């Protein structure tokens, strides 16, 4: 078993001011988006579409706004609507945490609609360009979660090589023992808790870095190195992220104020399924559209 390092969430102390790791990870995410975007400009077909470095900078401005506002509102509406409707001023207390990827995704989607309109481009052309820039940012965000020791995974077998104990989960661990006596006895977890005051869990933040970040980045990077039908790159992102998040949720601890929902699935899984379905539909549409255009071109000749 491993024990989470329990990092100080504050990276830099500047007297009364403090720079938190999670804030730095947002900065890293946006920097990585710029780097990946600039690398995409080197691809001949991307350059032929007229994309420029200024487009990336302007796009990032729209994306930042979409991420922050969409992520916060998504968390409010998807996860704790009753609480925030009763305490509306708390919606603005972003420093207390609470961001939703799916809300941020919707926010960025709307932001890209506005950017596409402003640039007089097709919305799908914009999202196809942006999609490969997203996974590195997701990885940075999950690294911030891991550094903060939050969004930990479900309790697992202490003999598993990946098992990790999170100091911040101590109270949840005590509650878990009372709810799962049989599994606790099978894995001798009462003895472990008596010694460490913690239980072994999946480091699900690291799984998300590996799947939503690294794996999805390479899939999108290599898929997008050649010209693809309009919407195809966006579709692969939707499918890839949806599948990665849906899978990781089996190891991630559900939010204690929600628990598991219908069919034993988490909120994250229910929000990921529409992404997968939409991605498959978009991918089919993209290649059928390409086939129709090729058939028309042959007929015209």
């Amino acid at each position: 078993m491993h024990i989470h390092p329990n990092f100080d969430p504050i990276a830099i102390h500047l007297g009364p001011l403090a720079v938190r790791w999670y804030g730095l990870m947002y900065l890293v995410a946006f920097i990585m988006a710029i780097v990946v975007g600039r690398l995409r400009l080197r691809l001949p077909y991307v350059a032929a579409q007229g994309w420029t470095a200024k487009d990336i900078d302007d796009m990032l401005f729209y994306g930042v706004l979409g991420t922050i506002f969409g992520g916060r509102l998504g968390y409010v509406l998807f996860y704790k609507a009753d609480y925030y409707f009763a305490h509306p001023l708390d919606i603005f207390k972003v420093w207390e945490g609470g961001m939703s990827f799916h809300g941020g995704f919707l926010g960025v989607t709307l932001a890209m609609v506005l950017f596409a309109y402003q640039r007089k481009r097709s919305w799908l052309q914009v999202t196809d360009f942006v999609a490969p820039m997203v996974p590195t940012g997701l990885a940075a965000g999950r690294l911030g979660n891991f550094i903060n020791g939050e969004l930990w995974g479900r309790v697992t077998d202490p003999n598993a090589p990946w098992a990790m104990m999170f100091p911040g989960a101590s109270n949840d661990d005590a509650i878990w023992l009372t709810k799962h006596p049989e599994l606790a006895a099978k894995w001798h977890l009462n003895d472990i808790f008596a010694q460490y005051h913690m239980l072994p869990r999946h480091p699900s933040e690291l799984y998300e870095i590996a799947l939503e970040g690294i794996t999805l980045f390479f899939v999108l990077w290599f898929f997008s190195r050649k010209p693809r039908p309009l919407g195809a790159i966006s579709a692969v992102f939707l499918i890839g992220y949806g599948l990665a998040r849906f899978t990781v949720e089996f190891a991630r601890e559900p939010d204690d104020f929600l628990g598991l929902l219908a069919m034993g699935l988490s909120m994250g899984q229910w929000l990921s399924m529409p992404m997968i379905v939409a991605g498959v539909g978009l991918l089919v549409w993209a290649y059928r559209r390409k086939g129709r255009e090729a058939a028309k071109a042959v007929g015209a000749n």
Side-chain angles (χ1 to χ4, degrees), residues 93-132:
K93 296 180 180 180
V94 294
W95 56 87
E96 294 182 354
M99 297 286 282
S100 161
F101 165 80
H102 295 92
F105 172 76
L106 293 175
V108 171
T109 298
L110 178 58
M112 292 304 102
V113 169
L114 297 175
F115 177 83
Y117 175 79
Q118 194 268 337
R119 285 292 195 275
K120 294 181 172 57
R121 285 183 176 270
S122 161
W123 174 61
L124 286 176
Q125 187 181 39
V126 172
T127 57
D128 281 349
F129 181 79
V130 171

Side-chain angles (χ1 to χ4, degrees), residues 55-95:
D55 288 328
I56 296 175
D57 295 340
D58 293 344
M59 190 184 302
L60 185 64
F61 172 76
Y62 283 85
V64 168
L65 294 180
T67 298
I68 294 175
F69 287 106
R72 183 58 173 172
L73 290 177
Y75 181 79
V76 168
L77 296 175
F78 298 151
Y79 290 90
K80 300 184 73 173
D82 291 342
Y83 172 82
Y84 285 109
F85 286 159
H87 307 84
L89 293 180
D90 286 357
I91 294 175
F92 302 100
K93 296 180 180 180
V94 294
W95 56 87

